Amino acid sequence: MPELPEMETYRRLLSSRIIDRPLTDVEVGREKSINVPVPVFRETLIGNSITGIERRAKHLLFYLSSGEKLLLHLMLGGWMFYGRPEDKPDRTVQVEVSFGDERLYFIGLRLGYLHLHKEAEVESLLGKLGPEPLSPDFTAERLTGLLSGKRGILKTTLVDQSFLSGIGNCYSDEICFEAGLLPSRTLPTLTGPETRRLSISMQAVLKEAVAYGGYMEDPLYKGDRLTGGYNERCRVYDRKGEPCLRCGRPVIQVELASRKCFYCENCQH
DNA sequence: AGGGCAACCCGGACGC
DNA sequence: TGCGTCCGGGTTGCCC
């Protein structure tokens, strides 16, 4: 599912393709995916261009030359394809935006959305997000500070967007594995060294996932060799019964706080 | 404060 | 081929 590394991959790859190119057409296949009437959406976008793309947590923010912003959240199973219509995947498209001959297709937006906002609206919408774990000022000391006095379950806390932004079900498990910590650990039991390991593992896992293009089934464009490069690099996520890459014992799957949770009972404590 | 849970949503996978 | 069924899962809001 699209989490920080996947959205960061999309941001990088899309930036070099659509920035400063005029939007020539917009089609809305599912009105619920947007937040204004279709004619308003189309009239606002057509003729505009995108001046920059920013990622905040699992969102992408498209800055329009007119000052408005498009706020994208793919939620579960949402993804994008960029290219010519003849290369379009055989999937239901909720929104498509044309840049001349090439189009950006938004696919699988069920709970996901592409919302149009005025200048200031977005900041209040995103204001409750926690810090970005890959930002340069996010240090082990910062994480220790955030955790101090806090109760709760490790995995639940990692996926809490108001605590940290951008980590979801897949990477919370990957981070716990890398840190050698059980996802079910409660925060007050974490020792200083364990918290430092958690911090190091968090950055290592997320950086590696970004470098390899994240965990995605489909390419962003024809010939895309980056997107989804992390699929084979997941150590525990969706690997139930497969051998742990560290010790060879089968990966365990349980349900934790009504989420799928994968770990190695030998390597994580 | 934190945990549990329902609701949201519907494409597509799967079974017959 | 065709139809019915059910799953997935981040987020919000509500309750305990």
Side-chain angles (χ1 to χ4, degrees), chain A residues 80-83 87-89 103-105 107 219-222:
Chain A
M80 291 181 273
F81 183 82
Y82 180 75
D87 296 323
K88 181 186 87 65
R103 298 180 188 173
L104 180 57
Y105 298 94
I107 302 165
L220 175 62
Y221 56 91
K222 195 181 176 183

Side-chain angles (χ1 to χ4, degrees), chain A residues 173-184:
Chain A
D173 284 355
E174 293 298 312
I175 290 165
C176 288
F177 176 78
E178 186 66 22
L181 298 171
L182 286 170
S184 56

Side-chain angles (χ1 to χ4, degrees), chain A residues 8 10 12 23 35 46 50 58 76 82 84 102 116 128 136-137 180 194 204 212 221 236 265:
Chain A
E8 186 60 27
Y10 277 147
R12 283 163 58 199
L23 280 71
N35 61 333
I46 294 172
I50 291 164
K58 305 175 189 173
L76 63 142
Y82 180 75
R84 294 172 168 273
E102 294 178 311
L116 182 63
K128 284 183 224 155
D137 60 350
E194 285 176 335
Y212 282 91
Y221 56 91
V236 285
E265 58 185 350

Side-chain angles (χ1 to χ4, degrees), chain A residues 17-51:
Chain A
R17 285 170 174 77
I18 63 173
I19 283 180
D20 292 335
R21 296 181 54 191
L23 280 71
T24 52
D25 198 11
V26 175
E27 297 263 348
V28 178
R30 177 176 175 271
E31 292 190 36
K32 282 185 179 178
S33 298
I34 63 175
N35 61 333
V36 293
V38 174
V40 175
F41 193 76
R42 297 187 75 242
E43 283 160 27
T44 307
L45 292 185
I46 294 172
N48 236 311
S49 60
I50 291 164
T51 59

Side-chain angles (χ1 to χ4, degrees), chain A residues 164-227:
Chain A
L164 280 176
S165 58
I167 297 171
N169 208 32
C170 169
Y171 292 103
S172 58
D173 284 355
E174 293 298 312
I175 290 165
C176 288
F177 176 78
E178 186 66 22
L181 298 171
L182 286 170
S184 56
R185 282 286 292 276
T186 53
L187 302 183
T189 68
L190 293 179
T191 64
E194 285 176 335
T195 303
R196 274 189 291 281
R197 242 159 55 208
L198 182 64
S199 172
I200 290 164
S201 303
M202 183 183 301
Q203 306 228 347
V205 166
L206 294 174
K207 279 181 185 170
E208 183 190 355
V210 169
Y212 282 91
Y215 182 87
M216 289 294 289
E217 273 189 36
D218 301 272
L220 175 62
Y221 56 91
K222 195 181 176 183
D224 175 10
R225 304 239 174 273
L226 178 65
T227 306

